Amino acid sequence: MSAQELCEVVRIAYDPPAALIIDEAHAAGSPVSLAWDEVGPTATQASWDDYRHDSAFSASWTMTGAPRGSVNSSVLSRLLAPHGDIDRKRISLLYRPMDSARAAAVVERDQNNANVRITSGTRPSARALVDARSAVQTAQEEAQGAGLVNFGMVVTATVTDQERLPDAVAAIEQTSGTARVLLRRAYGAQDTAFAASLPLGLVLPKHSMLPSEIKDAL
């Protein structure tokens, strides 16, 4: 993505009607020149559970639980697909490599926890057995040199009419269930979640107010 394309993405995210002007300019072969200081919103208002920016209204969610067990390549298809109740939808995957020393400790902790779950009862559940096998496989791969990655997801739904926002929220929460992804509304941090879902290179842990000892334990 070029610098100009990035400017267009950010501009349209904050002010969706700008997409029509930009698309018409591209269709006519006219160059679109946007400076970085022109692409942000002219005004915003962050509420507890939604975010108003220029001519649009958005709601954002963060992932609290990834799909468990075996998943196929189409598990996110309904969540990714366009929806009639949502003008613009953005699903962003965030990745952060884990250093090798911490990765070894995390793998060992997960394996120990999985073993406790299958030995603490007289009859372990099928889920506990699957988790134990996955923990063993992860430990073997890590011992052979594979790396671990922290990952997350931010989902944003945007509409240009505030009265349609509840329908957009319902659409996201319904389709996330079929994707086997646990999402939680970013209450009190809607503006932050919105920015985090944009391709701006934000590293969220660097902006956290938590001490490093607590962040490492999470």
Side-chain angles (χ1 to χ4, degrees):
M1 182 182 293
S2 66
Q4 183 59 41
E5 290 172 338
L6 178 59
C7 287
E8 293 177 9
V9 168
V10 176
R11 180 75 178 91
I12 293 171
Y14 280 106
D15 189 20
L20 179 60
I21 300 173
I22 293 174
D23 289 344
E24 288 178 347
H26 284 307
S30 302
V32 178
S33 180
L34 289 173
W36 184 245
D37 57 1
E38 299 173 337
V39 300
T42 57
T44 64
Q45 183 178 16
S47 301
W48 184 249
D49 57 358
D50 59 53
Y51 182 47
R52 183 176 186 177
H53 45 93
D54 284 359
S55 60
F57 304 83
S58 294
S60 296
W61 295 256
T62 57
M63 184 181 72
T64 59
R68 300 181 64 182
S70 300
V71 296
N72 54 42
S73 60
S74 61
V75 68
L76 297 178
S77 58
R78 288 196 62 188
L79 182 61
L80 294 171
H83 197 285
D85 291 328
I86 305 172
D87 293 336
R88 287 190 172 270
K89 184 197 304 183
R90 188 165 56 253
I91 291 91
S92 303
L93 295 177
L94 312 178
Y95 295 91
R96 184 162 56 95
M98 191 181 301
D99 66 81
S100 56
R102 188 182 175 207
V106 169
V107 166
E108 183 177 358
R109 182 193 64 193
D110 290 347
Q111 192 170 9
N112 290 337
N113 291 341
N115 290 335
V116 168
R117 284 194 293 270
I118 64 175
T119 58
S120 59
T122 57
R123 188 176 181 181
S125 65
R127 173 69 65 187
L129 294 173
V130 170
D131 289 345
R133 288 195 294 268
S134 297
V136 171
Q137 181 179 354
T138 301
Q140 292 174 344
E141 293 175 354
E142 191 276 334
Q144 294 172 359
L148 264 65
V149 176
N150 278 324
F151 71 96
M153 178 188 295
V154 181
V155 178
T156 297
T158 299
V159 294
T160 54
D161 184 353
Q162 189 174 16
E163 294 183 355
R164 296 177 54 222
L165 190 57
D167 293 334
V169 169
I172 291 294
E173 293 179 347
Q174 180 182 11
T175 54
S176 66
T178 61
R180 298 167 61 187
V181 175
L182 296 180
L183 296 179
R184 187 170 185 177
R185 195 87 163 261
Y187 292 112
Q190 286 289 313
D191 49 353
T192 302
F194 185 94
S197 67
L198 292 172
L200 301 176
L202 293 177
V203 182
L204 296 181
K206 291 186 177 181
H207 301 278
S208 173
M209 300 298 291
L210 290 173
S212 58
E213 293 80 3
I214 296 179
K215 289 191 290 185
D216 291 341
L218 295 177

PDB file of all heavy atoms in Angstrom, residues 16-17 51-58 85-88 157-169:
ATOM      1  N   PRO A  16     -16.993   8.243   5.290  1.00  0.00           N
ATOM      2  CA  PRO A  16     -17.324   7.337   4.182  1.00  0.00           C
ATOM      3  C   PRO A  16     -17.811   8.012   2.904  1.00  0.00           C
ATOM      4  O   PRO A  16     -17.473   7.536   1.810  1.00  0.00           O
ATOM      5  CB  PRO A  16     -18.402   6.431   4.793  1.00  0.00           C
ATOM      6  CG  PRO A  16     -18.095   6.425   6.251  1.00  0.00           C
ATOM      7  CD  PRO A  16     -17.609   7.813   6.553  1.00  0.00           C
ATOM      8  N   PRO A  17     -18.607   9.092   2.946  1.00  0.00           N
ATOM      9  CA  PRO A  17     -19.025   9.710   1.681  1.00  0.00           C
ATOM     10  C   PRO A  17     -17.866  10.187   0.814  1.00  0.00           C
ATOM     11  O   PRO A  17     -18.038  10.380  -0.397  1.00  0.00           O
ATOM     12  CB  PRO A  17     -19.890  10.895   2.145  1.00  0.00           C
ATOM     13  CG  PRO A  17     -20.447  10.456   3.458  1.00  0.00           C
ATOM     14  CD  PRO A  17     -19.327   9.691   4.096  1.00  0.00           C
ATOM     15  N   TYR A  51     -19.085   5.472  18.432  1.00  0.00           N
ATOM     16  CA  TYR A  51     -18.113   6.510  18.073  1.00  0.00           C
ATOM     17  C   TYR A  51     -18.651   7.278  16.874  1.00  0.00           C
ATOM     18  O   TYR A  51     -18.947   6.688  15.834  1.00  0.00           O
ATOM     19  CB  TYR A  51     -16.777   5.843  17.741  1.00  0.00           C
ATOM     20  CG  TYR A  51     -15.642   6.771  17.386  1.00  0.00           C
ATOM     21  CD1 TYR A  51     -15.351   7.898  18.138  1.00  0.00           C
ATOM     22  CD2 TYR A  51     -14.825   6.484  16.295  1.00  0.00           C
ATOM     23  CE1 TYR A  51     -14.286   8.728  17.818  1.00  0.00           C
ATOM     24  CE2 TYR A  51     -13.754   7.299  15.965  1.00  0.00           C
ATOM     25  CZ  TYR A  51     -13.490   8.419  16.731  1.00  0.00           C
ATOM     26  OH  TYR A  51     -12.431   9.231  16.411  1.00  0.00           O
ATOM     27  N   ARG A  52     -18.786   8.589  17.030  1.00  0.00           N
ATOM     28  CA  ARG A  52     -19.225   9.439  15.925  1.00  0.00           C
ATOM     29  C   ARG A  52     -18.011  10.148  15.343  1.00  0.00           C
ATOM     30  O   ARG A  52     -17.222  10.759  16.072  1.00  0.00           O
ATOM     31  CB  ARG A  52     -20.243  10.471  16.412  1.00  0.00           C
ATOM     32  CG  ARG A  52     -20.798  11.349  15.294  1.00  0.00           C
ATOM     33  CD  ARG A  52     -21.881  12.281  15.808  1.00  0.00           C
ATOM     34  NE  ARG A  52     -22.501  13.018  14.711  1.00  0.00           N
ATOM     35  CZ  ARG A  52     -23.514  13.866  14.860  1.00  0.00           C
ATOM     36  NH1 ARG A  52     -24.023  14.082  16.072  1.00  0.00           N
ATOM     37  NH2 ARG A  52     -24.020  14.486  13.810  1.00  0.00           N
ATOM     38  N   HIS A  53     -17.863  10.065  14.027  1.00  0.00           N
ATOM     39  CA  HIS A  53     -16.714  10.679  13.369  1.00  0.00           C
ATOM     40  C   HIS A  53     -17.166  11.262  12.039  1.00  0.00           C
ATOM     41  O   HIS A  53     -17.685  10.566  11.176  1.00  0.00           O
ATOM     42  CB  HIS A  53     -15.592   9.651  13.156  1.00  0.00           C
ATOM     43  CG  HIS A  53     -16.071   8.337  12.621  1.00  0.00           C
ATOM     44  ND1 HIS A  53     -16.113   8.038  11.275  1.00  0.00           N
ATOM     45  CD2 HIS A  53     -16.542   7.240  13.262  1.00  0.00           C
ATOM     46  CE1 HIS A  53     -16.582   6.813  11.105  1.00  0.00           C
ATOM     47  NE2 HIS A  53     -16.856   6.298  12.298  1.00  0.00           N
ATOM     48  N   ASP A  54     -17.002  12.555  11.900  1.00  0.00           N
ATOM     49  CA  ASP A  54     -17.445  13.280  10.709  1.00  0.00           C
ATOM     50  C   ASP A  54     -18.895  12.919  10.375  1.00  0.00           C
ATOM     51  O   ASP A  54     -19.794  13.198  11.151  1.00  0.00           O
ATOM     52  CB  ASP A  54     -16.501  13.016   9.536  1.00  0.00           C
ATOM     53  CG  ASP A  54     -15.194  13.791   9.684  1.00  0.00           C
ATOM     54  OD1 ASP A  54     -15.061  14.531  10.681  1.00  0.00           O
ATOM     55  OD2 ASP A  54     -14.311  13.661   8.825  1.00  0.00           O
ATOM     56  N   SER A  55     -19.123  12.256   9.235  1.00  0.00           N
ATOM     57  CA  SER A  55     -20.493  12.000   8.781  1.00  0.00           C
ATOM     58  C   SER A  55     -20.982  10.596   9.120  1.00  0.00           C
ATOM     59  O   SER A  55     -22.017  10.168   8.602  1.00  0.00           O
ATOM     60  CB  SER A  55     -20.567  12.190   7.259  1.00  0.00           C
ATOM     61  OG  SER A  55     -19.684  11.287   6.608  1.00  0.00           O
ATOM     62  N   ALA A  56     -20.280   9.868   9.959  1.00  0.00           N
ATOM     63  CA  ALA A  56     -20.627   8.467  10.184  1.00  0.00           C
ATOM     64  C   ALA A  56     -20.634   8.120  11.669  1.00  0.00           C
ATOM     65  O   ALA A  56     -20.164   8.884  12.519  1.00  0.00           O
ATOM     66  CB  ALA A  56     -19.654   7.559   9.432  1.00  0.00           C
ATOM     67  N   PHE A  57     -21.167   6.928  11.943  1.00  0.00           N
ATOM     68  CA  PHE A  57     -21.261   6.401  13.304  1.00  0.00           C
ATOM     69  C   PHE A  57     -20.743   4.961  13.282  1.00  0.00           C
ATOM     70  O   PHE A  57     -21.094   4.183  12.391  1.00  0.00           O
ATOM     71  CB  PHE A  57     -22.708   6.424  13.801  1.00  0.00           C
ATOM     72  CG  PHE A  57     -23.348   7.783  13.750  1.00  0.00           C
ATOM     73  CD1 PHE A  57     -23.915   8.246  12.566  1.00  0.00           C
ATOM     74  CD2 PHE A  57     -23.372   8.597  14.865  1.00  0.00           C
ATOM     75  CE1 PHE A  57     -24.504   9.501  12.503  1.00  0.00           C
ATOM     76  CE2 PHE A  57     -23.959   9.851  14.815  1.00  0.00           C
ATOM     77  CZ  PHE A  57     -24.524  10.307  13.634  1.00  0.00           C
ATOM     78  N   SER A  58     -19.923   4.616  14.261  1.00  0.00           N
ATOM     79  CA  SER A  58     -19.308   3.290  14.276  1.00  0.00           C
ATOM     80  C   SER A  58     -19.405   2.653  15.649  1.00  0.00           C
ATOM     81  O   SER A  58     -19.521   3.338  16.674  1.00  0.00           O
ATOM     82  CB  SER A  58     -17.827   3.368  13.868  1.00  0.00           C
ATOM     83  OG  SER A  58     -17.681   3.770  12.527  1.00  0.00           O
ATOM     84  N   ASP A  85     -27.083  -4.302   6.416  1.00  0.00           N
ATOM     85  CA  ASP A  85     -27.306  -3.356   7.511  1.00  0.00           C
ATOM     86  C   ASP A  85     -26.049  -2.573   7.882  1.00  0.00           C
ATOM     87  O   ASP A  85     -26.091  -1.747   8.801  1.00  0.00           O
ATOM     88  CB  ASP A  85     -27.811  -4.099   8.753  1.00  0.00           C
ATOM     89  CG  ASP A  85     -29.219  -4.640   8.564  1.00  0.00           C
ATOM     90  OD1 ASP A  85     -29.998  -3.990   7.839  1.00  0.00           O
ATOM     91  OD2 ASP A  85     -29.535  -5.707   9.124  1.00  0.00           O
ATOM     92  N   ILE A  86     -24.952  -2.844   7.197  1.00  0.00           N
ATOM     93  CA  ILE A  86     -23.678  -2.198   7.521  1.00  0.00           C
ATOM     94  C   ILE A  86     -23.143  -1.521   6.268  1.00  0.00           C
ATOM     95  O   ILE A  86     -22.972  -2.156   5.229  1.00  0.00           O
ATOM     96  CB  ILE A  86     -22.652  -3.230   8.042  1.00  0.00           C
ATOM     97  CG1 ILE A  86     -23.224  -3.996   9.234  1.00  0.00           C
ATOM     98  CG2 ILE A  86     -21.351  -2.543   8.432  1.00  0.00           C
ATOM     99  CD1 ILE A  86     -22.360  -5.150   9.685  1.00  0.00           C
ATOM    100  N   ASP A  87     -22.882  -0.219   6.365  1.00  0.00           N
ATOM    101  CA  ASP A  87     -22.332   0.502   5.215  1.00  0.00           C
ATOM    102  C   ASP A  87     -20.877   0.124   4.969  1.00  0.00           C
ATOM    103  O   ASP A  87     -20.468  -0.100   3.834  1.00  0.00           O
ATOM    104  CB  ASP A  87     -22.447   2.014   5.443  1.00  0.00           C
ATOM    105  CG  ASP A  87     -23.894   2.474   5.442  1.00  0.00           C
ATOM    106  OD1 ASP A  87     -24.738   1.784   4.843  1.00  0.00           O
ATOM    107  OD2 ASP A  87     -24.185   3.523   6.063  1.00  0.00           O
ATOM    108  N   ARG A  88     -20.105   0.077   6.037  1.00  0.00           N
ATOM    109  CA  ARG A  88     -18.698  -0.313   5.923  1.00  0.00           C
ATOM    110  C   ARG A  88     -18.330  -1.181   7.113  1.00  0.00           C
ATOM    111  O   ARG A  88     -18.680  -0.872   8.246  1.00  0.00           O
ATOM    112  CB  ARG A  88     -17.775   0.914   5.859  1.00  0.00           C
ATOM    113  CG  ARG A  88     -17.863   1.638   4.534  1.00  0.00           C
ATOM    114  CD  ARG A  88     -16.794   2.693   4.358  1.00  0.00           C
ATOM    115  NE  ARG A  88     -16.837   3.213   2.999  1.00  0.00           N
ATOM    116  CZ  ARG A  88     -16.159   2.715   1.982  1.00  0.00           C
ATOM    117  NH1 ARG A  88     -15.347   1.686   2.174  1.00  0.00           N
ATOM    118  NH2 ARG A  88     -16.262   3.237   0.776  1.00  0.00           N
ATOM    119  N   ALA A 157     -17.980  -1.735  12.685  1.00  0.00           N
ATOM    120  CA  ALA A 157     -19.119  -1.566  11.779  1.00  0.00           C
ATOM    121  C   ALA A 157     -19.464  -0.087  11.721  1.00  0.00           C
ATOM    122  O   ALA A 157     -19.579   0.573  12.759  1.00  0.00           O
ATOM    123  CB  ALA A 157     -20.316  -2.371  12.260  1.00  0.00           C
ATOM    124  N   THR A 158     -19.638   0.428  10.508  1.00  0.00           N
ATOM    125  CA  THR A 158     -19.888   1.854  10.307  1.00  0.00           C
ATOM    126  C   THR A 158     -21.149   2.059   9.483  1.00  0.00           C
ATOM    127  O   THR A 158     -21.370   1.356   8.493  1.00  0.00           O
ATOM    128  CB  THR A 158     -18.693   2.513   9.591  1.00  0.00           C
ATOM    129  OG1 THR A 158     -17.514   2.365  10.393  1.00  0.00           O
ATOM    130  CG2 THR A 158     -18.943   3.997   9.359  1.00  0.00           C
ATOM    131  N   VAL A 159     -21.957   3.023   9.895  1.00  0.00           N
ATOM    132  CA  VAL A 159     -23.148   3.431   9.145  1.00  0.00           C
ATOM    133  C   VAL A 159     -23.165   4.957   9.077  1.00  0.00           C
ATOM    134  O   VAL A 159     -22.537   5.637   9.892  1.00  0.00           O
ATOM    135  CB  VAL A 159     -24.448   2.919   9.801  1.00  0.00           C
ATOM    136  CG1 VAL A 159     -24.529   1.401   9.744  1.00  0.00           C
ATOM    137  CG2 VAL A 159     -24.556   3.397  11.246  1.00  0.00           C
ATOM    138  N   THR A 160     -23.892   5.487   8.112  1.00  0.00           N
ATOM    139  CA  THR A 160     -23.985   6.941   7.974  1.00  0.00           C
ATOM    140  C   THR A 160     -25.255   7.505   8.593  1.00  0.00           C
ATOM    141  O   THR A 160     -25.443   8.722   8.600  1.00  0.00           O
ATOM    142  CB  THR A 160     -23.917   7.340   6.489  1.00  0.00           C
ATOM    143  OG1 THR A 160     -24.922   6.621   5.763  1.00  0.00           O
ATOM    144  CG2 THR A 160     -22.549   7.008   5.909  1.00  0.00           C
ATOM    145  N   ASP A 161     -26.113   6.634   9.097  1.00  0.00           N
ATOM    146  CA  ASP A 161     -27.349   7.051   9.760  1.00  0.00           C
ATOM    147  C   ASP A 161     -27.361   6.444  11.158  1.00  0.00           C
ATOM    148  O   ASP A 161     -27.315   5.221  11.311  1.00  0.00           O
ATOM    149  CB  ASP A 161     -28.563   6.575   8.959  1.00  0.00           C
ATOM    150  CG  ASP A 161     -29.883   7.055   9.554  1.00  0.00           C
ATOM    151  OD1 ASP A 161     -29.872   7.642  10.654  1.00  0.00           O
ATOM    152  OD2 ASP A 161     -30.932   6.833   8.916  1.00  0.00           O
ATOM    153  N   GLN A 162     -27.420   7.279  12.172  1.00  0.00           N
ATOM    154  CA  GLN A 162     -27.331   6.788  13.546  1.00  0.00           C
ATOM    155  C   GLN A 162     -28.462   5.825  13.892  1.00  0.00           C
ATOM    156  O   GLN A 162     -28.281   4.912  14.702  1.00  0.00           O
ATOM    157  CB  GLN A 162     -27.333   7.961  14.522  1.00  0.00           C
ATOM    158  CG  GLN A 162     -27.021   7.565  15.958  1.00  0.00           C
ATOM    159  CD  GLN A 162     -26.888   8.763  16.873  1.00  0.00           C
ATOM    160  OE1 GLN A 162     -27.312   9.865  16.536  1.00  0.00           O
ATOM    161  NE2 GLN A 162     -26.283   8.562  18.033  1.00  0.00           N
ATOM    162  N   GLU A 163     -29.619   5.990  13.280  1.00  0.00           N
ATOM    163  CA  GLU A 163     -30.748   5.111  13.575  1.00  0.00           C
ATOM    164  C   GLU A 163     -30.505   3.687  13.091  1.00  0.00           C
ATOM    165  O   GLU A 163     -31.160   2.754  13.561  1.00  0.00           O
ATOM    166  CB  GLU A 163     -32.023   5.668  12.939  1.00  0.00           C
ATOM    167  CG  GLU A 163     -32.484   6.994  13.550  1.00  0.00           C
ATOM    168  CD  GLU A 163     -33.790   7.480  12.950  1.00  0.00           C
ATOM    169  OE1 GLU A 163     -34.278   6.825  11.991  1.00  0.00           O
ATOM    170  OE2 GLU A 163     -34.319   8.499  13.431  1.00  0.00           O
ATOM    171  N   ARG A 164     -29.577   3.504  12.172  1.00  0.00           N
ATOM    172  CA  ARG A 164     -29.270   2.166  11.658  1.00  0.00           C
ATOM    173  C   ARG A 164     -28.177   1.468  12.456  1.00  0.00           C
ATOM    174  O   ARG A 164     -27.886   0.297  12.214  1.00  0.00           O
ATOM    175  CB  ARG A 164     -28.848   2.259  10.187  1.00  0.00           C
ATOM    176  CG  ARG A 164     -29.939   2.765   9.257  1.00  0.00           C
ATOM    177  CD  ARG A 164     -29.426   2.892   7.833  1.00  0.00           C
ATOM    178  NE  ARG A 164     -28.834   1.644   7.392  1.00  0.00           N
ATOM    179  CZ  ARG A 164     -27.694   1.569   6.699  1.00  0.00           C
ATOM    180  NH1 ARG A 164     -27.028   2.673   6.400  1.00  0.00           N
ATOM    181  NH2 ARG A 164     -27.217   0.404   6.323  1.00  0.00           N
ATOM    182  N   LEU A 165     -27.577   2.171  13.403  1.00  0.00           N
ATOM    183  CA  LEU A 165     -26.471   1.576  14.152  1.00  0.00           C
ATOM    184  C   LEU A 165     -26.893   0.342  14.953  1.00  0.00           C
ATOM    185  O   LEU A 165     -26.151  -0.652  14.971  1.00  0.00           O
ATOM    186  CB  LEU A 165     -25.834   2.624  15.067  1.00  0.00           C
ATOM    187  CG  LEU A 165     -24.518   2.215  15.745  1.00  0.00           C
ATOM    188  CD1 LEU A 165     -23.471   1.827  14.714  1.00  0.00           C
ATOM    189  CD2 LEU A 165     -23.993   3.355  16.622  1.00  0.00           C
ATOM    190  N   PRO A 166     -28.061   0.337  15.619  1.00  0.00           N
ATOM    191  CA  PRO A 166     -28.459  -0.896  16.327  1.00  0.00           C
ATOM    192  C   PRO A 166     -28.562  -2.111  15.412  1.00  0.00           C
ATOM    193  O   PRO A 166     -28.222  -3.233  15.819  1.00  0.00           O
ATOM    194  CB  PRO A 166     -29.820  -0.526  16.933  1.00  0.00           C
ATOM    195  CG  PRO A 166     -29.769   0.961  17.087  1.00  0.00           C
ATOM    196  CD  PRO A 166     -28.996   1.441  15.895  1.00  0.00           C
ATOM    197  N   ASP A 167     -29.030  -1.916  14.177  1.00  0.00           N
ATOM    198  CA  ASP A 167     -29.108  -3.041  13.238  1.00  0.00           C
ATOM    199  C   ASP A 167     -27.712  -3.522  12.855  1.00  0.00           C
ATOM    200  O   ASP A 167     -27.481  -4.731  12.701  1.00  0.00           O
ATOM    201  CB  ASP A 167     -29.874  -2.625  11.980  1.00  0.00           C
ATOM    202  CG  ASP A 167     -31.345  -2.350  12.260  1.00  0.00           C
ATOM    203  OD1 ASP A 167     -31.872  -2.923  13.234  1.00  0.00           O
ATOM    204  OD2 ASP A 167     -31.948  -1.559  11.520  1.00  0.00           O
ATOM    205  N   ALA A 168     -26.786  -2.595  12.694  1.00  0.00           N
ATOM    206  CA  ALA A 168     -25.411  -2.978  12.371  1.00  0.00           C
ATOM    207  C   ALA A 168     -24.780  -3.749  13.522  1.00  0.00           C
ATOM    208  O   ALA A 168     -24.067  -4.739  13.315  1.00  0.00           O
ATOM    209  CB  ALA A 168     -24.584  -1.733  12.044  1.00  0.00           C
ATOM    210  N   VAL A 169     -25.052  -3.311  14.747  1.00  0.00           N
ATOM    211  CA  VAL A 169     -24.526  -4.009  15.927  1.00  0.00           C
ATOM    212  C   VAL A 169     -25.075  -5.429  15.990  1.00  0.00           C
ATOM    213  O   VAL A 169     -24.339  -6.395  16.234  1.00  0.00           O
ATOM    214  CB  VAL A 169     -24.879  -3.223  17.205  1.00  0.00           C
ATOM    215  CG1 VAL A 169     -24.580  -4.056  18.446  1.00  0.00           C
ATOM    216  CG2 VAL A 169     -24.107  -1.909  17.253  1.00  0.00           C
TER     217      VAL A 169
END
